[in-house]
Structure formats: structure tokens, C-alpha cells
Amino acid sequence: MARPVIPIQLRNEPENNLPPDQSATVADVLHRLKGVPGALLPILHGVQDALGYVPPDAVHLIAVALNISRAEVHGVISFYHHFRSKPVARHMLYVCRAEACQSMGAVALEAHAKKILGIDFHESTADGAITLEPVYCLGNCACSPAVMLDQELHGRMTVEKFDSLIRATRQTA
């Protein structure tokens, strides 16, 4: 009777369960950045910039390319709030939670945002239009409270201005 063949995963052959387009993107980022000193952070930024998040299935590919453990890669992803492990909506909305913004009404604005969007921080609206994220200083303290939609900063945010911004964003989403 023939013995069953048990596949062995060698360290040099990383598991790759990513869709082909994501796999190609991760491979491109690794090719471009793995030789950079301190390459892990630039690679994670590169993958997230390209895909919108760092897919959990990319962790092993990154670890093998840098000759570090998956735990090290995962530790960096989970330590920094900037990195995401799941897809996000078409638009990213950041609400500043720093002291200057809090003193100018950001707490009420945050509660209003959660209520209007029907989500909490780190969640996306059901229509896939907006992901809500906290941020601890947008560098716009003189114009508090501040929010950032995608890469556009909005200061002196009021509930009315927020509602208008959300309406306009949903119309274009």
C-alpha cells in the first residue's frame, strides 16, 4: 500500500493564498523595497497604499522575504493604528481626538459622526462608502475640531458642515 504524500511547506516557498492581482502587487512592493534598511515599515506602507490594507495572507510572504517571523510582521501591523488588516470603504474619514480638538467640540462631533454614519471607529458604512477612523492629531489645532476625508483636511468642523461633507461624499461614492 502506497504511503500518502504529505505536502511540506518549505521556508523558501511562502504560502500564497492571495488572489493573483494582490499577489502581484505584494510581490512588486517586496521586489522594490526589501533591500531598503528597515524595510518592514516601508513594505507595509507600500502594500497598504496599493491595496488599501495589508491582507493577512500577505504576512507570510513579507516575513519570508525579510527573513523574519510572521509574528514580527503581525506585531508591527497590530501595533500601529495606521495599518489595517481588512478592506476599507471607498473613502476614509478621520476624526481628530487630540486635546485641542476635544476642547473645541470634537467629542460631540465624534458622537454625531458615529450616529449619522451608523458605525463605530474602525468600521465601514453598509454601503461601502465611508470608513471611520480616530486619529490623534491632524496638525490643524488652530482650526479645531478637524477631520480628514481621504487626504483633504477640514477644520472648524461643525455638525452642519460634517453633514454637508457626508452628503457630498455619498453622492460621489
Side-chain angles (χ1 to χ4, degrees):
M1 183 164 146
R3 296 176 63 171
V5 176
I6 300 171
I8 297 174
Q9 184 70 45
L10 300 175
R11 180 100 168 112
N12 296 352
E13 300 173 17
E15 301 165 3
N16 188 352
N17 299 320
L18 292 170
D21 59 327
Q22 289 186 355
S23 180
T25 299
V26 171
D28 176 60
V29 170
L30 288 170
H31 177 74
R32 285 185 295 111
L33 299 174
K34 76 178 186 179
V36 172
L40 181 55
L41 282 174
I43 286 170
L44 292 174
H45 280 287
V47 170
Q48 183 161 294
D49 289 348
L51 300 176
Y53 70 114
V54 180
D57 288 333
V59 169
H60 186 67
L61 298 173
I62 295 167
V64 169
L66 297 178
N67 197 28
I68 60 177
S69 72
R70 285 183 277 194
E72 289 175 274
V73 177
H74 175 73
V76 171
I77 293 168
S78 62
F79 178 79
Y80 290 104
H81 296 286
H82 174 76
F83 295 118
R84 298 177 293 275
S85 296
K86 56 186 180 181
V88 294
R90 291 179 297 280
H91 299 281
M92 293 295 300
L93 177 65
Y94 298 93
V95 177
C96 183
R97 301 187 73 202
E99 290 80 5
C101 284
Q102 286 184 24
S103 71
M104 296 300 291
V107 174
L109 181 64
E110 171 187 321
H112 178 75
K114 291 176 180 180
K115 179 182 173 192
I116 292 300
L117 297 172
I119 57 174
D120 203 342
F121 284 130
H122 313 294
E123 295 179 352
S124 298
T125 56
D127 63 0
I130 300 169
T131 296
L132 183 63
E133 293 288 336
V135 66
Y136 296 90
C137 195
L138 289 169
N140 200 30
C141 302
C143 298
S144 297
V147 301
M148 181 181 287
L149 180 62
D150 298 327
Q151 299 299 316
E152 189 174 341
L153 188 60
H154 300 269
R156 295 189 177 97
M157 187 56 58
T158 64
V159 168
E160 296 78 19
K161 286 171 66 175
F162 180 85
D163 291 348
S164 177
L165 182 65
I166 296 304
R167 272 192 304 276
T169 300
R170 282 204 159 127
Q171 289 173 353
T172 63

